[in-house]
Amino acid sequence: AQKVTQAQTEISVVEKEDVTLDCVYETRDTTYYLFWYKQPPSGELVFLIRRNSFDEQNEISGRYSWNFQKSTSSFNFTITASQVVDSAVYFCALSEAGRQAGTALIFGKGTTLSVSS
Amino acid sequence: NAGVMQNPRHLVRRRGQEARLRCSPMKGHSHVYWYRQLPEEGLKFMVYLQKENIIDESGMPKERFSAEFPKEGPSILRIQQVVRGDSAAYFCASSPSIPGLTNEKLFFGSGTQLSVL
């Protein structure tokens, strides 16, 4: 069965600290996609990144970076020099290839990140 | 261009009442998806609709739940005779109708928090 585990329920850091959000997934598929979404206090989910299972290159986008390791089935998300505006709930999600978009996203429970000044 | 609009933001119902949740997709989007987030769980897919058609309802409970997306007006998720276990956040997402649609093209609303007393 497919599953996404975000073991950290809540994380609190002080501004400028680096923080890593963990995501571990389970799937029997050889082709799949991994996602991270951000849910700010306003409530809407905002797409951050998609990763294909066959591309293990790490990605950096500004202060955000993602570490994808198939060997440990992990897709961790690091925020460098955190800011108060990073405070949100972050969701990791998994989707099978070949499934209709929107119908096969499997989300983790989310990690609530609080960044204080 | 307004995002996906869901209302109400919060809905309180007593056991046995009906709950109606509304979702207006982004302008130009003809596909709507409903997700449910139970307490302490990740979002789970419920139903996928196009205008006037239910395409995939594999995630929807067989009883008491129904969804529609009429030619005019918002998509409605209807829960009849609500029970305490229906208390959850219900999210709507929309996407355009494009070839090769992928999950990152989904735009999510802010959700409706349903509380059943």
Side-chain angles (χ1 to χ4, degrees):
Chain A
Q2 294 188 314
K3 188 178 175 182
V4 174
T5 301
Q6 295 179 254
Q8 304 147 308
T9 306
E10 295 182 15
I11 301 176
S12 294
V13 298
V14 178
E15 257 191 323
K16 299 183 184 175
E17 280 187 36
D18 298 347
V19 58
T20 295
L21 309 181
D22 297 333
C23 174
V24 174
Y25 62 92
E26 294 176 31
T27 181
R28 291 185 184 145
D29 295 325
T30 54
T31 302
Y32 51 88
Y33 300 95
L34 296 162
F35 302 80
W36 276 95
Y37 288 85
K38 175 182 179 180
Q39 184 185 31
S42 52
E44 74 283 8
L45 270 72
V46 177
F47 165 78
L48 294 178
I49 189 171
R50 180 186 88 159
R51 211 80 188 119
N52 305 330
S53 56
F54 46 86
D55 181 2
E56 285 194 71
Q57 244 186 344
N58 291 328
E59 183 155 340
I60 298 175
S61 176
R63 296 184 297 107
Y64 294 173
S65 62
W66 290 270
N67 182 2
F68 176 31
Q69 292 200 343
K70 282 180 88 167
S71 60
T72 55
S73 297
S74 64
F75 186 42
N76 296 338
F77 174 27
T78 297
I79 302 175
T80 304
S82 59
Q83 300 176 2
V84 172
V85 293
D86 295 327
S87 297
V89 182
Y90 290 87
F91 292 96
C92 180
L94 167 71
S95 177
E96 296 174 351
R99 289 285 306 273
Q100 171 65 43
T103 66
L105 281 169
I106 296 166
F107 286 83
K109 296 180 184 181
T111 296
T112 299
L113 173 65
S114 299
V115 182
S116 56
S117 56
Chain B
N1 189 11
V4 178
M5 304 300 292
Q6 289 189 250
N7 66 82
R9 192 73 191 270
H10 299 276
L11 182 61
V12 179
R13 284 288 177 267
R14 296 190 180 280
R15 280 180 297 171
Q17 290 185 320
E18 178 180 284
R20 282 180 163 249
L21 289 63
R22 285 178 289 277
C23 169
S24 295
M26 283 185 71
K27 189 175 180 181
H29 285 191
S30 57
H31 297 202
V32 165
Y33 314 79
W34 285 94
Y35 283 76
R36 176 168 68 171
Q37 183 182 21
L38 293 168
E40 309 301 319
E41 294 189 16
L43 281 76
K44 287 187 167 59
F45 165 75
M46 297 180 74
V47 61
Y48 160 41
L49 308 101
Q50 295 179 17
K51 283 284 186 183
E52 299 186 280
N53 287 305
I54 295 174
I55 307 302
D56 184 340
E57 55 183 348
S58 58
M60 194 126 86
K62 296 286 183 266
E63 296 179 354
R64 301 188 298 107
F65 285 72
S66 62
E68 62 177 14
F69 188 16
K71 189 175 180 181
E72 301 290 338
S75 174
I76 305 286
L77 180 67
R78 183 180 174 209
I79 311 172
Q80 294 178 291
Q81 298 175 324
V82 295
V83 300
R84 289 217 173 105
D86 297 331
S87 295
Y90 291 83
F91 286 89
C92 169
S94 73
S95 70
S97 178
I98 55 175
L101 178 69
T102 51
N103 287 301
E104 61 268 31
K105 298 291 194 297
L106 268 65
F107 290 83
F108 284 82
S110 300
T112 292
Q113 181 64 51
L114 172 66
S115 298
V116 180
L117 305 178

Coordinates of all heavy atoms in Angstrom, one line a residue, chain A residues 12-19 63 79-87 113-117:
Chain A
S12 N 9.5 24.0 15.9 CA 9.6 25.4 16.2 C 11.1 25.8 16.1 O 11.9 25.2 16.7 CB 9.1 25.7 17.7 OG 7.7 25.5 17.7
V13 N 11.3 26.9 15.4 CA 12.7 27.4 15.3 C 12.7 28.9 15.4 O 11.6 29.5 15.3 CB 13.3 27.0 13.9 CG1 13.4 25.5 13.8 CG2 12.5 27.6 12.7
V14 N 13.8 29.4 15.6 CA 14.0 30.9 15.6 C 14.5 31.3 14.3 O 15.2 30.6 13.6 CB 15.0 31.3 16.7 CG1 15.2 32.8 16.8 CG2 14.5 30.8 18.1
E15 N 14.1 32.5 13.9 CA 14.5 33.1 12.6 C 16.0 32.9 12.3 O 16.8 33.0 13.2 CB 14.2 34.6 12.5 CG 13.0 34.9 11.7 CD 12.9 36.4 11.5 OE1 13.2 37.2 12.4 OE2 12.5 36.8 10.4
K16 N 16.3 32.6 11.1 CA 17.7 32.4 10.6 C 18.2 31.0 10.8 O 19.3 30.7 10.3 CB 18.7 33.4 11.1 CG 18.3 34.9 10.7 CD 19.3 35.9 11.2 CE 18.8 37.3 10.8 NZ 19.8 38.3 11.3
E17 N 17.5 30.2 11.6 CA 17.9 28.8 11.8 C 17.6 28.0 10.5 O 16.6 28.4 9.8 CB 17.2 28.2 12.9 CG 17.7 28.5 14.3 CD 17.0 27.7 15.4 OE1 16.7 26.5 15.1 OE2 16.8 28.2 16.5
D18 N 18.3 27.0 10.2 CA 18.0 26.1 9.2 C 17.1 25.0 9.8 O 17.2 24.6 10.9 CB 19.2 25.4 8.6 CG 20.2 26.4 8.0 OD1 19.8 27.5 7.8 OD2 21.3 26.0 7.7
V19 N 16.1 24.5 8.9 CA 15.2 23.5 9.4 C 15.0 22.5 8.3 O 14.8 22.8 7.2 CB 13.9 24.1 9.9 CG1 13.2 24.9 8.8 CG2 13.0 23.1 10.5
R63 N 16.0 29.7 -0.8 CA 16.3 29.2 0.5 C 15.8 27.7 0.7 O 16.0 27.1 1.7 CB 15.7 30.1 1.6 CG 16.3 31.5 1.6 CD 15.7 32.3 2.7 NE 14.3 32.5 2.6 CZ 13.3 31.9 3.3 NH1 13.7 31.0 4.3 NH2 12.1 32.1 3.1
I79 N 14.7 24.2 4.7 CA 14.6 25.7 4.6 C 15.9 26.3 5.3 O 16.1 26.0 6.5 CB 13.4 26.2 5.2 CG1 12.1 25.6 4.6 CG2 13.3 27.8 5.1 CD1 10.8 26.0 5.3
T80 N 16.6 27.0 4.5 CA 17.8 27.6 5.0 C 17.5 29.1 5.5 O 16.7 29.7 4.9 CB 18.9 27.7 3.9 OG1 19.1 26.4 3.5 CG2 20.2 28.3 4.5
A81 N 18.1 29.4 6.6 CA 17.9 30.8 7.1 C 16.4 31.1 7.2 O 15.9 32.0 6.5 CB 18.6 31.8 6.3
S82 N 15.7 30.3 8.0 CA 14.2 30.4 8.0 C 13.8 31.9 8.4 O 14.5 32.6 9.1 CB 13.6 29.4 9.1 OG 14.2 29.7 10.3
Q83 N 12.6 32.2 7.9 CA 11.9 33.5 8.2 C 10.6 33.3 8.7 O 10.0 32.2 8.5 CB 11.9 34.3 6.9 CG 13.2 34.5 6.2 CD 13.1 35.3 4.9 OE1 12.0 35.6 4.4 NE2 14.2 35.5 4.2
V84 N 10.0 34.3 9.4 CA 8.7 34.2 10.0 C 7.7 33.8 8.9 O 6.7 33.1 9.2 CB 8.3 35.5 10.7 CG1 6.9 35.5 11.1 CG2 9.3 35.8 11.9
V85 N 7.8 34.3 7.7 CA 6.9 34.0 6.6 C 6.9 32.5 6.2 O 6.0 32.1 5.5 CB 7.1 34.9 5.4 CG1 6.8 36.3 5.7 CG2 8.5 34.7 4.8
D86 N 7.9 31.8 6.7 CA 7.9 30.4 6.4 C 7.0 29.6 7.3 O 6.7 28.4 7.1 CB 9.3 29.8 6.5 CG 10.3 30.4 5.5 OD1 9.9 30.7 4.4 OD2 11.5 30.6 5.9
S87 N 6.4 30.2 8.3 CA 5.5 29.6 9.2 C 4.3 29.1 8.5 O 3.6 29.9 7.8 CB 5.1 30.5 10.4 OG 6.2 30.9 11.1
L113 N 5.3 24.1 10.9 CA 6.5 24.8 11.2 C 6.2 26.2 11.8 O 5.4 27.0 11.1 CB 7.3 25.0 9.9 CG 8.6 25.9 10.0 CD1 9.6 25.2 11.0 CD2 9.2 26.1 8.7
S114 N 6.7 26.5 12.9 CA 6.6 27.9 13.5 C 7.9 28.5 13.6 O 8.9 28.0 14.2 CB 6.0 27.8 14.9 OG 4.7 27.2 14.8
V115 N 8.1 29.7 13.0 CA 9.3 30.4 13.0 C 9.1 31.7 13.8 O 8.2 32.5 13.4 CB 9.8 30.7 11.6 CG1 11.1 31.5 11.6 CG2 9.9 29.5 10.7
S116 N 9.8 31.9 14.8 CA 9.6 33.0 15.7 C 10.8 34.0 15.4 O 11.9 33.6 15.1 CB 9.6 32.7 17.1 OG 10.7 32.0 17.5
S117 N 10.5 35.3 15.7 CA 11.5 36.3 15.4 C 12.4 36.6 16.7 O 12.1 36.1 17.7 CB 10.8 37.6 15.0 OG 9.9 38.0 16.0

